[in-house]
Structures are given as C-alpha cells and as structure tokens.
Amino acid sequence: MKDLTNKLYRNHSLAYKILLFVSATFLIVYLFPKSGKFKYSFEKGKPWQSENLYAPFNFAIKKNQSEIDSEKEAVNNNAFLYFNLDSEVKPRIVSKYLEALKEVIVDSIPTSDFETITATGMRIIEELYEYGFLSEKYNFKDARNVIILEDRVEKFRTTYSNLVNQENLTTILNNALREDNLVKYKNLFASLFFDIVEPNLTYNKSFTESELNAELGKISYTRGSIAKETLIISKGEVVEGDKFQILKSLESEYESQVWNESNYYWIVFAYTLLVALALLMLLLFLRKYRLSVFEDNTKVTFIFFNILLMVLLTTLVVNYNSQYIYIVPICILPLVLKAFFDARLGMFTHVLTVLLLGLIVPNNFEYMFLQIIAGIVTILTVSELYKRANLFISVGQITLIYIVAYFAFFIIHEGSIEAMHWETFGMFILCGLATLFVQPLIYAYEKLFGLVSDVSLLELSDTNTKLLKELSNVAPGTFHHSLNVANLAEASANEIGANAMLVRVGALYHDIGKMKNPTYFTENQSTGINPHDELSSTESAKIIIDHVINGIEIARKHNLPDRVIDFIRTHHGTSMVYYFYMKEKEVNDTIVHSDFSYPGPTPFSKETAILMMCDSVEAASKSLKNPTSSKIDTFVENIINKQMVTEQFLNANITFKEIQSIKKVLKHKLANIYHLRIEYPE
C-alpha cells in the first residue's frame, strides 16, 4: 500500500492530467445534444452523391415549415370568435326608450308624430340588438365567423361585420330617420339613444383561444408515410421537391426523441470516443511539441477550460436557437491561447475545438470551414495584442472573412442572392464585437490562472513602476546596466524571432536582487571604496551569488509573474563567480566549487538564453580598454563560446545558427556604443 502511495505521489502530475482528460471528456459529452446524426449530406437542388437510398424503417413524411404555417394561418382566419350575450339588456333598453319618450313628448314632439317616432325608435333598437351591440371595437376582420353564446350555450352564428359598436350608432340613426322622414328629430334621437344604449355582447377571449388551440392541435405535421425498404432516391438524382422533403423527414427521424431513447447509450459511447480522441490528440501535441506547457498542470487546465467554455457557449446557443450560432465568438480561443502561449498551439487547439463543435451544429461543413478560416486569419493578423488598434483591425478582418465566406456558401447553395439572409451578416458583426471582449478576459485569466500576457509585460516594461523606480534610486548603476541589457536583448530577440517583449521585461528585472547589497557590485561603487576588500573571497562570492536568491524573493514579494522570475533564476545559470574563485585559488588549494557557483538552473528557453548572453557581454564590456572592432568581435566570441562550452544552453531550445545571429547583433550594438567620435576644435 505504501509503495502504491509513493508511486502515485511521484506520478501525481500525470494522474492529474488523466483525471482532467476524463473529466473534460465527460463534461463535453454531457453538454452535447444526445441525438443520432444522419450519415448522409445533401443539398436542395444538387445531385444525390451517395449510393441508392432505401428507407431503413417506416417513417412519416413531415410537412415543411411553409406548409405548416399556411395551415395555421388558415385555421386562425377561419376560427370562430365567441361572444357572451346578456339577454336582459334589450328589454331594459326598450323600457328606457319608452319612458324617455314620454318625458319629452309634452315639450318637444307633436302628438301626431308620436306613433311614427315610437315605431322608428323600436325599429332602431331591433336593428342595434338584432345580432348584438359590442362593448368595444375589436381589431377583427369583418369576415370572421362569430358564435353568440347565451349562458354558455350557442344561440346563433353570424359574421363580425354584423355586430354593432358605438361607431355604428350614428349611421344607423341617420339611415332610419331618413327612411321615415324624421330628420328634424335627429338631435332628439341622438340624445335619447346615446344616453340609454348599452352593450349586450362581451368578447369571451379565453374560450376563443381555447377553441383556437384545439383546432391548431388538429393540424397534422405529416403527409403520408414511407414504408421500410422503399427506394427514396437514386444516385445522381436531383434533390428537390418531395424528394428533398422525404430526406429531411428521414434526417429528422434519426434525430428524433424516439431515436434518442432507443439508442441513447450507444450515442453517448460514440460521442465519448470522438471527444476523447480529439482531447488525446491535444495532449499528445503538447507532450511532443510543447513539453513545458504539458508539464505545467495549470497551463493544461487553462487550455481545457477554454475548450469547455467554447463548447458550453455553443451548445447553449444551439439548444436555444441554432440560427444564432454565428454570434458565438469562437475566435476568442486562438486569440487567448496566442496571447499566453504561441500561434501554433492556438491554431491546433482551435481546429480541434471546431471539429468537436461540428458534431452538434447544423450545416457542419459550412460551419467548420468558416470557423477554421476565421481562426487562421486570427492567428495571422493578430500581433502585439497589447496595441488596441491591432485588435480592432484584426477583428474587422475576421468579420470580413466571415461575411465573404458565408456569401460564397449561400450562392453555392441557392444559386442566387435573392433569398439572402442579410440578418446573418448582422450576427457576424455581433460576433466581431463580442471578440473584443478578449481584452478583459485575458486580464481575468491572468488573475485566475497566474499567467502573463504581452499586455501585462507592456505594463511591467514601464520604468516608472514602483520596483524599477526603487532600483534606480537604490542601485542606479544596476538600473543603467539593466536598461542596456534590455536594449541588447530586445534587438537579439527580434533578430531570431523570439518574444522581444518578454526578454526585455526579464532584462529589466533580472538584477533586482542587487538592491539588498548594492555597494558590493562594481557598477554601484561611485565613491571608489570597495567593501569586498574587507571580506574573504568566499564571503564575497556568497554575496554576489545571493543576488539571484534575493531577486527571486523581491520579485515574489512584488507579485512578478513566474515567466519574469525565470529570468532572475537563470541569468547566471550554473556559471562561476570567476574573479573570486581565482582569487581564492591563489591562497587555497582545497576549494569547494559549489561555494563559487550559481545554483542555477541553466536557461531553458530562447529568451532566457538571450538574457544570459546579453547580461554577460554588457557587464564584461565595461572592462574593455581602447575597444576596436576586432577586439569587440573577439570579446563577444570568447564570452558566449565559454557559456556554450560550460553547457549553459544545453536545455534551451536555441540553435547554433540563432546563437551566431545573436553574436552578430551584440557585436554591432557594442561597436555602436564604443564608436569613437572625432574631436571637435574648441
């Protein structure tokens, strides 16, 4: 048991990656829609490219959306409107009318016209309440069928145009008075009827909607069926009309809920295999080509987290409405990975993620083509992400590529631009705007995962930062030396294509440990007094060597990123403090070499190797007497060759050709620094 525990402890990093791999696989599969996939690809109006297709089982032919919409519209137009009738209103209105007429007859109406007026009024009431008087005007078409309910029982049927509302009252009054030659009593009738008339019909909205939903529920979404083994389409036959609809029905049947229930575990198993293969390829890529990333569990977790995030966003959109699929800013993934790692890793991860998403999105070939092309454009165009203008320009180019590629695909599918879905272009613009969110996202990732991007490096390169200001005050010579090394290192990095911003920042901070004992370093001894004269060689060597450890402690105290601390740790590698070593050797034959050697490690990247070369060359160049071009060349060659002989670059992925290029840059820069000007006459 103890052996097993020890073995697990020794391999805890690998065990963590296996756990991460398994967890990520099951999370992605969990997020995926669990449906079967139709194994054939087809397009309307194009020939069927596969073999003759026979129905694998019995299935119904589904109506297309336009047919269903047309039937729903017909049901909506022909559905009955239901109104409740209050049968007590009409008798009450008749009674009110007769009473009101008696009150005004003495003063306003001659006795000879009373019977005519009474009869006309009764006829108007009959006309108003023949079908019913509405409580308000509704926005229904006149031809809509109406059912009048009395005590929830159908009384009669009519059309909406026959129902009277307040707006019709004046017209009915005027027509009746003209027919009976009673126009002179127009004001009398108007005042009477507008006072006494009240509605007897109210719209029964709930019952109407209930009946409408019942009718809509009767709509059949299928028309006919296809029996098993029936020939659906032959090879080379054009996919159109009924053939297209039958194929869409078969495709839908494969992805239906019935299919899910009967084959759920097989589908999950198949998805698990595909996702596991994709993630395994990513881990193998990291192990073979990005070993430093593979060995860092935080970085591997970060990459898997970003893949999961893209899958989550995409599946949420697919489940909500797949037509919004292009709003998801997939290009954030290569942007983020390029910012923290490199372009090749960003592109590889992006392609694998798009392949995974191709399993669940509609029109998967079109989707994958668009996203992979957009990812390539992202990698090629986005450089120096810390410059805001670069990001905006790159996002504009990515959006343009989306639009152009989608435009081309649409023409291939439809053969014209008449039915172009212009709103999709708006989605691409929204996707571009969402991609701009990468800046705050990078900042959040830096805090969550302890990573560092070029944006943070730019901030650290500012010589007005608190730590660099303290260095310039406490150890001005060291600060000036660091600036010179930064300039040399940046030029060298640009020459061989290394990360110039990273190596510049590393150079600025590599000697901050000298702040603890600044006067023990030559560049800070302005008074001419050397405190090493009072110490033994071993003590002096220890103080010199300790500036590396002190630098790491100061860096951690000021929360400098690990990528920057690596430069402090490695800028002397395992080299010796040669001056004090030789001084001690003169008086002591039994020297402990470790007392005069830096603890290491040696540089393990191009950038840390560049800093070691530039630091040694710049520091030693101060000892040059009467420098000439040949002296400088020999001087640079000797220093860097000695570092190579002592295997300081053994773990750095830097080539001999790149080292030669760096030597050339350093020689040129030093020649410019020590160039003698002519003496001007006074």
Side-chain angles (χ1 to χ4, degrees):
M1 185 65 184
K2 187 177 180 181
D3 292 340
L4 178 61
T5 304
N6 291 336
K7 191 173 182 180
L8 285 174
Y9 179 77
R10 287 195 302 272
N11 296 285
H12 70 278
S13 180
L14 180 60
Y16 175 82
K17 290 181 183 68
I18 293 172
L19 180 63
L20 180 66
F21 168 76
V22 173
S23 302
T25 300
F26 282 107
L27 270 173
I28 292 173
V29 173
Y30 174 76
L31 292 171
F32 276 6
K34 311 303 185 298
S35 60
K37 295 290 287 185
F38 192 47
K39 66 178 180 178
Y40 299 103
S41 178
F42 60 93
E43 296 175 20
K44 189 176 183 179
K46 299 294 173 67
W48 178 256
Q49 299 293 339
S50 305
E51 70 277 3
N52 293 355
L53 178 63
Y54 295 87
F57 44 74
N58 299 329
F59 66 94
I61 304 171
K62 294 188 175 182
K63 297 175 183 175
N64 59 41
Q65 193 58 45
S66 61
E67 289 178 302
I68 295 170
D69 290 343
S70 177
E71 289 187 26
K72 286 183 177 179
E73 185 178 359
V75 169
N76 280 318
N77 291 336
N78 296 324
F80 283 98
L81 302 172
Y82 290 86
F83 289 86
N84 294 327
L85 174 66
D86 186 349
S87 57
E88 297 179 0
V89 171
K90 183 179 176 183
R92 187 163 62 245
I93 298 303
V94 171
S95 176
K96 283 184 179 182
Y97 170 69
L98 294 176
E99 289 178 7
L101 203 58
K102 289 177 182 178
E103 290 178 4
V104 299
I105 191 171
V106 177
D107 300 323
S108 308
I109 304 174
T111 307
S112 56
D113 293 337
F114 179 74
E115 291 183 4
T116 305
I117 290 171
T118 302
T120 301
M122 295 300 292
R123 186 157 57 82
I124 290 171
I125 291 172
E126 286 295 328
E127 187 173 351
L128 290 175
Y129 292 98
E130 179 181 3
Y131 298 102
F133 195 95
L134 293 171
S135 58
E136 60 180 282
K137 185 178 180 181
Y138 298 94
N139 190 27
F140 297 127
K141 294 180 180 179
D142 289 343
R144 289 290 297 271
N145 295 316
V146 171
I147 292 180
I148 306 298
L149 301 175
E150 186 176 358
D151 296 330
R152 301 195 176 202
V153 178
E154 180 181 335
K155 183 162 184 168
F156 61 87
R157 299 186 180 194
T158 183
T159 59
Y160 183 71
S161 60
N162 289 328
L163 305 183
V164 179
N165 57 58
Q166 196 74 24
E167 293 180 1
N168 304 135
L169 181 56
T170 302
T171 304
I172 292 171
L173 286 175
N174 291 338
N175 291 339
L177 294 175
R178 266 197 306 272
E179 290 176 11
D180 295 343
N181 296 318
L182 295 174
V183 177
K184 60 183 179 180
Y185 295 110
K186 179 180 178 180
N187 293 335
L188 174 65
F189 273 86
S191 63
L192 276 175
F193 277 91
F194 276 102
D195 285 342
I196 66 172
V197 166
E198 58 181 280
N200 68 337
L201 292 181
T202 53
Y203 178 47
N204 192 333
K205 184 178 180 180
S206 61
F207 193 74
T208 300
E209 290 180 351
S210 174
E211 291 297 306
L212 174 61
N213 291 333
E215 290 299 317
L216 289 173
K218 295 177 183 178
I219 293 176
S220 173
Y221 287 80
T222 62
R223 50 178 176 82
S225 62
I226 299 294
K228 185 178 179 180
E229 302 298 334
T230 302
L231 176 64
I232 295 175
I233 193 167
S234 304
K235 184 174 182 179
E237 192 175 349
V238 176
V239 179
E240 58 184 356
D242 288 342
K243 297 286 185 183
F244 177 75
Q245 198 55 40
I246 292 171
L247 287 170
K248 292 296 289 183
S249 300
L250 181 58
E251 181 182 41
S252 177
E253 193 69 26
Y254 267 89
E255 298 172 359
S256 67
Q257 189 63 33
V258 175
W259 178 268
N260 290 345
E261 290 172 357
S262 59
N263 299 275
Y264 179 82
Y265 292 108
W266 279 111
I267 292 172
V268 169
F269 175 71
Y271 271 135
T272 303
L273 284 179
L274 293 175
V275 173
L277 279 174
L279 296 182
L280 181 62
M281 293 305 105
L282 176 59
L283 287 175
L284 291 176
F285 172 85
L286 293 176
R287 189 173 185 276
K288 186 171 180 63
Y289 297 107
R290 298 293 182 273
L291 187 60
S292 60
V293 177
F294 180 79
E295 291 175 347
D296 191 325
N297 285 340
T298 301
K299 292 178 179 178
V300 176
T301 304
F302 173 72
I303 294 170
F304 275 64
F305 174 80
N306 277 277
I307 294 173
L308 280 168
L309 181 62
M310 290 299 111
V311 172
L312 174 63
L313 290 175
T314 305
T315 50
L316 286 174
V317 173
V318 168
N319 291 334
Y320 174 70
N321 191 335
S322 60
Q323 74 178 76
Y324 299 126
I325 192 68
Y326 289 113
I327 292 179
V328 181
I330 299 295
C331 287
I332 281 182
L333 179 62
L335 270 175
V336 167
L337 295 183
K338 185 180 179 182
F340 288 113
F341 305 110
D342 60 85
R344 190 175 177 186
L345 175 57
M347 190 67 237
F348 190 86
T349 308
H350 175 72
V351 170
L352 284 180
T353 305
V354 171
L355 290 176
L356 288 175
L357 296 177
L359 298 171
I360 60 170
V361 298
N363 301 321
N364 48 11
F365 174 76
E366 176 185 321
Y367 176 85
M368 289 190 292
F369 183 90
L370 284 174
Q371 297 295 3
I372 290 174
I373 290 294
I376 293 172
V377 171
T378 302
I379 293 296
L380 294 178
T381 60
V382 177
S383 59
E384 298 178 325
L385 193 60
Y386 55 86
K387 295 182 180 179
R388 289 171 295 179
N390 288 359
L391 180 60
F392 279 99
I393 292 169
S394 296
V395 166
Q397 292 171 332
I398 293 165
T399 305
L400 180 63
I401 290 298
Y402 271 131
I403 291 172
V404 170
Y406 175 78
F407 180 81
F409 267 112
F410 191 89
I411 292 177
I412 290 171
H413 291 162
E414 301 294 333
S416 70
I417 63 170
E418 293 177 3
M420 181 70 72
H421 300 151
W422 300 105
E423 65 274 9
T424 306
F425 295 154
M427 294 182 198
F428 291 138
I429 294 171
L430 288 175
C431 177
L433 294 175
T435 305
L436 295 174
F437 185 69
V438 70
Q439 285 282 21
L441 190 63
I442 286 174
Y443 177 79
Y445 281 153
E446 287 178 337
K447 300 304 177 186
L448 285 172
F449 291 92
L451 301 172
V452 60
S453 69
D454 285 351
V455 180
S456 293
L457 291 176
L458 180 65
E459 295 173 356
L460 290 170
S461 68
D462 184 4
T463 54
N464 288 316
T465 58
K466 182 179 178 181
L467 186 55
L468 290 181
K469 271 191 171 183
E470 185 181 349
L471 177 64
S472 68
N473 292 329
V474 175
T478 299
F479 177 71
H480 187 260
H481 159 72
S482 298
L483 286 177
N484 290 337
V485 173
N487 292 331
L488 293 173
E490 185 177 19
S492 301
N494 284 326
E495 181 69 21
I496 66 170
N499 190 332
M501 179 63 73
L502 176 62
V503 75
R504 179 176 180 82
V505 172
L508 288 173
Y509 291 90
H510 78 285
D511 270 345
I512 56 174
K514 292 181 180 180
M515 288 193 294
K516 193 165 184 179
N517 297 297
T519 56
Y520 284 85
F521 299 90
T522 310
E523 66 266 23
N524 299 313
Q525 294 170 0
S526 57
T527 61
I529 299 173
N530 190 346
H532 288 289
D533 295 341
E534 307 295 326
L535 302 174
S536 68
S537 298
T538 305
E539 290 172 328
S540 295
K542 185 177 188 315
I543 291 173
I544 299 298
I545 290 170
D546 281 351
H547 88 273
V548 172
I549 304 300
N550 294 334
I552 294 172
E553 291 175 355
I554 293 170
R556 294 208 181 280
K557 182 180 177 181
H558 286 81
N559 296 317
L560 289 184
D562 287 340
R563 288 177 77 183
V564 176
I565 295 175
D566 288 340
F567 287 91
I568 301 173
R569 186 183 291 114
T570 62
H571 74 279
H572 284 295
T574 55
S575 62
M576 296 183 67
V577 185
Y578 198 69
Y579 175 82
F580 292 108
Y581 172 75
M582 295 303 295
K583 191 176 177 182
E584 179 70 14
K585 195 173 182 181
E586 291 175 0
V587 297
N588 184 4
D589 292 334
T590 58
I591 300 176
V592 180
H593 283 71
S594 59
D595 291 342
F596 295 89
S597 298
Y598 286 96
T602 57
F604 47 79
S605 66
K606 288 181 182 179
E607 288 77 16
T608 50
I610 289 170
L611 178 63
M612 172 179 272
M613 295 182 222
C614 295
D615 180 45
S616 300
V617 167
E618 203 284 332
S621 68
K622 298 293 188 295
S623 63
L624 280 173
K625 300 290 190 295
N626 300 317
T628 63
S629 179
S630 59
K631 276 187 179 180
I632 289 172
D633 289 357
T634 304
F635 167 77
V636 172
E637 289 286 344
N638 288 340
I639 288 178
I640 296 179
N641 287 343
K642 185 178 179 180
Q643 290 173 338
M644 293 172 66
V645 168
T646 56
E647 298 182 341
Q648 297 301 312
F649 307 135
L650 194 62
N651 296 322
N653 58 336
I654 192 167
T655 64
F656 285 115
K657 183 179 180 181
E658 289 169 336
I659 292 174
Q660 288 301 117
S661 298
I662 293 168
K663 287 179 181 178
K664 184 178 178 181
V665 170
L666 294 177
K667 291 171 185 176
H668 177 71
K669 289 287 183 182
L670 288 178
N672 287 337
I673 292 170
Y674 289 104
H675 179 66
L676 297 176
R677 300 184 179 181
I678 61 171
E679 292 186 11
Y680 293 96
E682 296 183 1

